[in-house]
Amino acid sequence: MTRPVVTRFAPSPTGQLHIGGGRTALFNWLYARGRGGKFLLRIEDTDRERSTPENTDAILRGLRWLGLDWDGEPISQFERRDRHAQVAHDMLARGTAYKCFSTPEEIAAFRAEAEARGSYAVFQSPWRDADPATHPDRPFAIRMKAPRSGETVIDDAVQGVVTFRNDQLDDMIVLRSDNTPTYMLAVVVDDHDMGVTHVIRGDDHLNNAARQTMVYQAMGWQVPVWAHIPLIHGPDGKKLSKRHGATGVFEYQLMGYPAAGVRNYLTRLGWAHGDAEIFTTEQAMKMFDLSGIGRAPARLDFKKLENICGHHIAMMEDAALLQELTAFLAVSGRPALTKAQSDGLLRAMYCLKERAKTFPELLDKARFVLESRPISRDAAAEAALDTVSRGILKSLTPQLHNATWDKETLETILNDAAAAAGIGFGKLAQPLRAALAGRMASPSVFDMMLVIGREETIARLDEAAA
RNA sequence: GGCCCGUUCGUCUAUCGGUUAGGACAUCUGGUUUUCAACCAGGCAAGAGGGGUUCGACUCCCCUACGGGCUGCCA
């Protein structure tokens, strides 16, 4: 009963990594990693029409960006089709499946007729108990011989005990007439072969779990622990769609959210552990459990995402921040930093990371250290540099030439200068900020002066005063 | 149509029969301040509706409403 935990994430490569899929992967990853278990990846690429290698790559990139690593190589479901077919034939041999010679046309006709009558009975193949001697010589599908009475019970770690009446479930096809496996069969076989102990997936699969349980039972395999988590909805409470904007993990990366923040936010979306809100991944792994997962769909809230990301940027090590920022620059198609710029950024990081929630915001506040003279100024900065202000700046530089370059001394000098000019410090800080940063939102003027140094400070003041 | 799941402040959620229903984000007010961000203090704000069970229900059961999922030789 205490098997080592094995979880998996099994995306279809029919598009990029969806934010909901990212969260499903995250939950699986947290659960496994928090228990010293394994987290596996399986690409459900049996739909040859819609699956592409590009999509697979995009999904792997998305997972890597989220910081989710997997054990071993990703498994291709398509490549395991022979094994799936073999299991279907095993079921045939065991008598838990049968050959069905009904054609898709016949089945469609049955459904159409049933619908016309206003009834919605499940299709019951006439071949279920047919004498093999009567089998025609034509292609057949293999159907599972599902129990027709009794019930199938799912003991779900999130949804609780869910009971299905067996007479509601039809004999699903496990192997198509072209010998390709259906999803219902493939998942079970793969999960079993991969040793998956806990299936954590979207609750759109809850109904499927009943039929899949039947396959496990038909093969005499141990049924995994199910955990069906609710889907993520858009801010308006509707199912997430393109119309909501950011549906892909990649888009979050492009918007400049730090991965640790997105991970934290996603972990909290639909899962809670008391009042825990801001936590590291290590803490999340320790706290995460299936019982903390909610049963109602959660809505995306960008305000909260931003808030959490702000905390994480502030918590991150300067070097790690620079590294992730550099990666952000690359994927978002922005110019890379020069050596001088990243050095400057590193020196300024202490006063930048406390005031940014996203990388674009951090970059914006970092312009004073990223730019070199002449400093470009926006309209507000230009307005702050009126004649009087220029005069004050000009009178400041001689004192700066001889000052000890530390915060205390600079504070004294600037405060005295403001007093001498008969203005409050705020009035002095404005033109200073305009001169040093070229914009009115920046770190403290003292921090900026310390970071860029005496020479550069004086040069910028001269430039602004001219 | 049938089956299944869900419903606590605007949002994410805590509560696992007894609480002034707690926290976080957002929002509002005041404070601090050198802009931005932040920070401090405080305010507003919730158990979908109706029946039960119980001394007592957000919590257990039933019904209704609303939302979602499944009902494929898609995954």
Side-chain angles (χ1 to χ4, degrees):
Chain A
M1 197 56 229
T2 46
R3 305 185 273 173
V5 169
V6 178
T7 64
R8 49 72 163 179
F9 177 55
S12 296
T14 54
Q16 60 161 322
L17 179 59
H18 187 90
I19 189 70
R23 187 187 59 154
T24 302
L26 175 64
F27 280 12
N28 276 285
W29 181 82
L30 281 173
Y31 191 75
R33 291 284 181 258
R35 274 149 242 272
K38 285 193 165 148
F39 171 65
L40 309 177
L41 217 52
R42 180 174 69 236
I43 307 300
E44 306 213 323
D45 51 359
T46 55
D47 185 338
R48 304 315 284 172
E49 305 280 296
R50 298 191 298 152
S51 300
T52 69
E54 292 72 31
N55 286 334
T56 300
D57 289 345
I59 288 169
L60 299 189
R61 270 201 306 278
L63 290 172
R64 283 195 200 97
W65 178 71
L66 268 179
L68 310 185
D69 58 331
W70 53 91
D71 293 293
E73 288 301 306
I75 288 168
S76 158
Q77 187 161 66
F78 175 71
E79 288 172 11
R80 291 176 42 79
R81 58 195 182 279
D82 291 345
R83 163 66 176 155
H84 301 146
Q86 178 209 323
V87 172
H89 284 93
D90 283 354
M91 288 173 71
L92 223 42
R94 286 167 158 259
T96 55
Y98 61 92
K99 297 176 181 176
C100 172
F101 295 86
S102 298
T103 63
E105 294 70 36
E106 286 170 14
I107 298 166
F110 167 86
R111 292 213 171 92
E113 193 191 322
E115 195 164 344
R117 284 198 316 268
S119 96
Y120 291 80
V122 296
F123 175 72
Q124 295 195 353
S125 171
W127 302 97
R128 178 174 162 117
D129 297 306
D131 181 346
T134 67
H135 282 359
D137 181 24
R138 57 177 155 113
F140 57 87
I142 297 183
R143 276 185 194 274
M144 182 167 72
K145 200 167 191 172
R148 287 216 167 142
S149 61
E151 41 195 35
T152 297
V153 176
I154 303 301
D155 188 359
D156 194 279
V158 172
Q159 308 289 342
V161 175
V162 184
T163 305
F164 296 86
R165 280 172 43 185
N166 289 153
D167 58 13
Q168 312 276 10
L169 275 15
D170 60 357
D171 290 346
M172 61 176 177
I173 288 175
V174 290
L175 197 72
R176 301 187 185 97
S177 48
D178 65 357
N179 265 312
T180 59
T182 60
Y183 165 75
M184 289 295 177
L185 201 236
V187 226
V188 174
V189 174
D190 290 345
D191 282 340
H192 171 264
D193 289 357
M194 290 160 73
V196 172
T197 58
H198 298 253
V199 172
I200 305 170
R201 65 203 333 184
D203 69 5
D204 48 335
H205 288 285
L206 182 56
N207 290 276
N208 294 338
R211 332 175 71 139
Q212 288 162 17
T213 295
M214 290 176 173
V215 178
Y216 279 99
Q217 289 167 345
M219 289 303 293
W221 292 339
Q222 181 170 0
V223 180
V225 173
W226 307 107
H228 290 93
I229 64 179
L231 273 17
I232 294 178
H233 284 182
D236 58 357
K238 301 282 192 207
K239 199 179 164 188
L240 204 55
S241 67
K242 299 105 259 159
R243 162 174 71 77
H244 287 107
T247 57
V249 167
F250 182 59
E251 293 165 82
Y252 289 76
Q253 183 182 9
L254 277 187
M255 285 186 276
Y257 294 110
V262 174
R263 224 181 292 135
N264 187 160
Y265 174 72
L266 248 26
T267 304
R268 267 295 277 111
L269 195 62
W271 172 85
H273 184 81
D275 288 340
E277 295 282 356
I278 308 293
F279 38 74
T280 64
T281 301
E282 290 65 39
Q283 292 170 322
M285 283 193 282
K286 288 199 183 75
M287 292 187 287
F288 190 80
D289 59 347
L290 266 21
S291 62
I293 300 174
R295 288 157 304 279
R299 305 182 189 199
L300 242 23
D301 180 354
F302 284 87
K303 281 286 202 294
K304 185 145 188 178
L305 206 212
E306 274 187 16
N307 179 279
I308 290 179
C309 285
H311 281 98
H312 279 272
I313 286 181
M315 292 191 313
M316 263 190 257
E317 298 285 342
D318 293 355
L321 211 39
L322 180 65
Q323 194 178 6
E324 190 166 351
L325 184 69
T326 303
F328 164 71
L329 255 18
V331 297
S332 63
R334 289 163 217 239
L337 298 174
T338 63
K339 178 79 171 76
Q341 284 178 318
S342 43
D343 286 349
L345 207 47
L346 222 37
R347 274 184 284 119
M349 208 59 101
Y350 78 96
C351 63
L352 290 171
K353 63 182 184 182
E354 303 278 350
R355 23 177 45 96
K357 295 171 169 161
T358 63
F359 291 130
E361 201 180 328
L362 189 144
L363 248 12
D364 190 52
K365 298 216 162 127
R367 292 186 63 142
F368 80 93
V369 70
L370 261 18
E371 277 195 35
S372 46
R373 279 173 287 124
I375 301 297
S376 66
R377 288 190 283 268
D378 62 16
E382 212 60 72
L385 289 169
D386 54 39
T387 320
V388 180
S389 299
R390 285 169 200 260
I392 297 175
L393 292 188
K394 195 167 287 182
S395 71
L396 221 45
T397 49
Q399 305 177 64
L400 262 25
H401 270 296
N402 303 312
T404 308
W405 209 251
D406 60 35
K407 191 164 184 178
E408 293 67 37
T409 310
L410 292 175
E411 256 173 15
T412 308
I413 292 175
L414 295 189
N415 277 312
D416 289 353
I423 56 176
F425 178 68
K427 284 284 184 228
L428 175 61
Q430 268 189 307
L432 255 179
R433 192 181 309 283
L436 296 173
R439 56 217 340 96
M440 302 315 287
S442 78
S444 129
V445 293
F446 299 113
D447 284 328
M448 289 195 286
M449 292 168 84
L450 290 170
V451 168
I452 64 178
R454 182 201 312 269
E455 206 176 311
E456 181 66 16
T457 298
I458 292 173
R460 289 189 192 185
L461 294 195
D462 284 345
E463 180 182 274

